[in-house]
Amino acid sequence: MNRFTKLLKNQQAFIPFFMLGDPTPEASLEIIKAAIDGGCQALELGLPFADPIADGPVIQASAERALKNGTDFAKCLELITAIREYSDIPIGLLIYFNLIYRQGVELAYQKLAAAGVDAILQVDVPLEEAEQYNELLTKSGLASINLIAPNTSEERAKKILNNTTAFAYVVSDYGTTGVRSELPQQTFTRIQNLKAMTDVPLVIGFGINTAEQVQDLLSAGADGVIIGSAITKIIAKHVDDVGQAKVAVTSFINNIMTKIG
Amino acid sequence: MQDKYYGEFGGCYVPEILMQPLAEVDQAFQEIKHDADFQAELSDLLENYAGRATPITLARNLSRIIGRKIYLKREDLLHGGAHKTNNTIGQGLLAKRMGKKRIIAETGAGQHGVATAMIGALLGIPVEVYMGRVDAERQAQNVKRMQLFGAKVHAVDSGSATLKDAINAALRDWVTNAGDTYYLFGTAAGPYPFPALVRYFQEVIGREAREQMLRLTGALPAAVFACVGGGSNAIGIFSAFLDDSQVKLYGAEAAGQGLHTDYHAATLEKGAAGVFHGMHSMFLQNQDGQITETHSVSAGLDYPGVGPEHAHLHATKRAEYLGVTDHEALNTYRLMAEREGILPAIESCHALALALREAENFDAEANLLVNLSGRGDKDLKNYFTHVNS
Ligand SMILES: Cc1ncc(COP(=O)(O)O)c(C=O)c1O
């Protein structure tokens, strides 16, 4: 069992997403530590990639800030190592595959595992292409996170779930990451259908914004909920003031944690 | 799915949400290969709407100067002004057959955007085109043409505001609207099935050219030259000669201000293997895997990647890929105008310049075939800006 399954098989979790290095590597580390102090149960971290095709403008701008301020692969490893020293909570990593490929796939997996990452989501590597790397991933000790989209058939979802060792990231809506005002009804039906066919933890993300939405999704049976763009927006608002960013992010997280009790 | 990989390259590296729409395109693609009605409509449009077959012209004055016979495959005479029309007619019909209500496309030079807008008008399907703002400015005339054809043009400001960013934006649109939208991809690159699909519709160039060369000269050409952006016109003409090992294949990449500078788009010579825009191929990138910005005087070649089949032909040395600088391409633009009374696209001038440069390596009897992928009216302003600066 990895840290994610241990957590999610026992309790529901709210999982904030942070882009490593946004706005600067130092500030990013401080903000993430504040979030941990605020009581979040797990983290989803992003490695900045300048051409993130699955992300909306908020996350793209976040990646651009991080890159501009000197965040590279080596820097991300340092940050993850520091976060792991600070806390024992599960750490998931969201990454575009070229960043891994360029390091050498096996070496990249090993380095990430050694830094303290528990599981990775390779955003642009679907089931069929992931196959060739599964062995290396297992060997490295990293668990896998895989996407299930609104248009993924049930048959395909089954295969994806069979290949998932940390959790399935259930995409709540069509489109890129970004804040939406309302969740489509389909998301709730999807949770029920997937629940019926698997024990793999289901974590919902893309476009989730409010504590009420988190509550609704957890009530519907989700094992976890990820919020990314809404938090990134807060950081974007306070790029020049880490102190303010920490306060605002912590209060956002506190608000959700209290709601979901 | 036999064309999904080219040696180690190719594949389909996309977020899960695009797997279903791509599978749908692939299914339609496999079906139309054997659908007589589809093929009849395609042939009819290629012939009677777009003006195929395009001729082959002996560049008589240049041939005299360099002492080798240079034959031009005249895709510049195709309706729309470039080879892009072959692909947009094909995929436009595919979109219609699939019942899609909206077509989106990316464009660099604007040629693919124009060719898509044209087909949208013809088939009555609304078109939206993503174009980097930098490209939209240097190809302003093509923006107007698209708009006249009824297309909506979105200028993209992110990143380097060129073709790469236009593709990012189009992919994001597709991720959002996959249900009713067809993404009409413009070159033989990207995730499977696009490299195979675009090649399929561009093979007509090679098929015709091979037959025409045999008829005109009684033999296959000694070498075939084409410029390489994403690689669609090149794979289109190469496809008919791949099995003829005696025919040398040359791809001209944009060397911009020179391969020793950072200002070029010579992906195969200067890039490294990677995974981006849905494919395992070669990319210009930094040590960390971030895609780098490119430079070329020709918007159509200004792309940091290349189609996976070219990465394979490069790796196996079946084709040779060499850089041509902005300067060489602009000189060739003028030379063609003065000597042949033809104004090729600056993209195509890269292929011509490479043929002129390599000609001396062939004996005097040799026939060299150059794919003249498009016409150069769109580049007039760009040309005069450069020669006057
Ligand atoms: C005339 C012309 N030739 C070549 C290209 C490069 O594309 P490809 O490599 O797909 O043929 C373009 C692209 O816009 C073009 O307009």
Side-chain angles (χ1 to χ4, degrees), chain A residues 101-115:
Chain A
Y101 185 91
R102 188 72 169 134
Q103 299 285 326
V105 176
E106 184 168 19
L107 191 63
Y109 288 165
Q110 286 168 356
K111 285 180 178 172
L112 293 170

Side-chain angles (χ1 to χ4, degrees), chain B residues 208-258:
Chain B
E208 285 175 7
R210 192 173 199 283
E211 204 258 336
Q212 288 165 318
M213 287 303 287
L214 286 172
R215 189 153 36 83
L216 281 169
T217 70
L220 292 175
V224 179
F225 295 83
C227 65
V228 181
S232 70
N233 88 86
I235 204 64
I237 196 160
F238 287 179
S239 62
F241 302 98
L242 283 175
D243 293 337
D244 304 305
S245 56
Q246 74 276 28
V247 179
K248 289 189 143 195
L249 304 175
Y250 288 92
E253 296 196 291
Q257 297 178 12

Side-chain angles (χ1 to χ4, degrees), chain B residues 63-135:
Chain B
S63 296
R64 203 174 308 126
I65 295 166
I66 63 162
R68 313 286 184 284
K69 287 211 169 80
I70 304 249
Y71 288 90
L72 309 172
K73 178 62 174 164
R74 301 292 304 278
E75 293 302 293
D76 61 319
L77 296 179
L78 195 65
H79 177 50
H83 69 291
K84 301 283 176 188
T85 303
N86 300 320
N87 176 44
T88 59
I89 289 180
Q91 286 199 63
L93 290 176
L94 196 68
K96 190 179 95 174
R97 188 179 195 275
M98 292 168 72
K100 297 295 175 183
K101 300 281 176 274
R102 175 175 175 264
I103 290 175
I104 56 171
E106 84 294 340
T107 196
Q111 291 302 106
H112 174 59
V114 167
T116 306
M118 210 165 78
I119 291 319
L122 178 72
L123 300 178
I125 307 177
V127 169
E128 292 181 39
V129 179
Y130 291 91
M131 188 172 191
R133 190 173 294 282
V134 171
D135 291 339

Side-chain angles (χ1 to χ4, degrees), chain B residues 177-237:
Chain B
N177 303 301
D180 67 349
T181 297
Y182 184 87
Y183 182 9
L184 207 162
F185 201 68
T187 188
Y192 180 83
F194 287 127
L197 180 64
V198 176
R199 179 204 216 257
Y200 177 79
F201 290 125
Q202 293 294 1
E203 281 169 3
V204 64
I205 305 174
R207 233 174 6 245
E208 285 175 7
R210 192 173 199 283
E211 204 258 336
Q212 288 165 318
M213 287 303 287
L214 286 172
R215 189 153 36 83
L216 281 169
T217 70
L220 292 175
V224 179
F225 295 83
C227 65
V228 181
S232 70
N233 88 86
I235 204 64
I237 196 160

